[in-house]
Amino acid sequence: MSEILEICALVCTGLYAGYMFAFLSGVMPALKEVDDATFTLVMRGINRKVPGPLFLLLFLGSPAFPAASWFVAPDGRAGSAGALVGAAAVCALTGHLITSAGNIPLNNALESSRGQGDERTARVAFEKRWNALHLVRTLFAVAAFALMAVAVVR
């Protein structure tokens, strides 16, 4: 059972880190080049579509599977492999806390500004802070994946 959980943890943390990295390296730089109305329209659309079932599986699975793997392992995850899996779970959870406390409220504020006519103000209130928080949560997601990868190889 612990090997299955390790594989699920590795897959979820890897896919989630890749998703976050794709936004960091491709989506947000592309959106930086568009006008304010297009930026806010696209980000509002993304924010409505992202929390679908597949994304939620990755979002919830990236901290849950490493934690479950750590708790279910027959040796109680003693030693360096245990520390790596535990650290992966902590990194994933930290990224989720940043998302919940930072990015989601910004998403909600952007959505609530719809129809108020001042897309420039909405963008300015959103973009820089959202990108900064996204960078940090991406680093935590990549760290969680790297830690899981090293733990699985051991």
Side-chain angles (χ1 to χ4, degrees), residues 1-62:
M1 178 60 120
S2 65
E3 289 176 354
I4 292 170
L5 289 171
E6 283 178 352
I7 292 168
C8 290
L10 184 63
V11 169
C12 274
T13 58
L15 289 172
Y16 187 72
Y19 185 87
M20 294 285 111
F21 187 77
F23 257 82
L24 181 72
S25 65
V27 174
M28 296 313 290
L31 287 177
K32 186 175 185 156
E33 302 297 321
V34 302
D35 62 82
D36 299 332
T38 302
F39 177 89
T40 56
L41 175 72
V42 171
M43 283 308 299
R44 287 178 184 125
I46 289 169
N47 292 337
R48 283 190 301 277
K49 295 294 183 184
V50 164
L54 291 176
F55 176 80
L56 288 176
L57 175 65
L58 296 178
F59 182 76
L60 298 173
S62 64

Side-chain angles (χ1 to χ4, degrees), residues 47-154:
N47 292 337
R48 283 190 301 277
K49 295 294 183 184
V50 164
L54 291 176
F55 176 80
L56 288 176
L57 175 65
L58 296 178
F59 182 76
L60 298 173
S62 64
F65 282 122
S69 173
W70 189 84
F71 282 112
V72 170
D75 62 359
R77 280 283 177 212
S80 64
L84 291 168
V85 172
V90 168
C91 284
L93 182 60
T94 301
H96 284 45
L97 292 173
I98 292 166
T99 298
S100 297
N103 294 88
I104 290 173
L106 288 169
N107 293 346
N108 293 340
L110 183 65
E111 182 64 31
S112 68
S113 73
R114 183 198 313 218
Q116 295 181 9
D118 190 0
E119 299 304 319
R120 180 71 189 147
T121 299
R123 181 179 187 166
V124 167
F126 177 86
E127 186 176 23
K128 187 175 180 179
R129 185 158 180 236
W130 193 95
N131 283 333
L133 291 166
H134 183 70
L135 170 63
V136 175
R137 69 182 178 166
T138 300
L139 293 174
F140 277 108
V142 170
F145 171 65
L147 290 163
M148 275 310 305
V150 173
V152 167
V153 170
R154 288 183 172 228

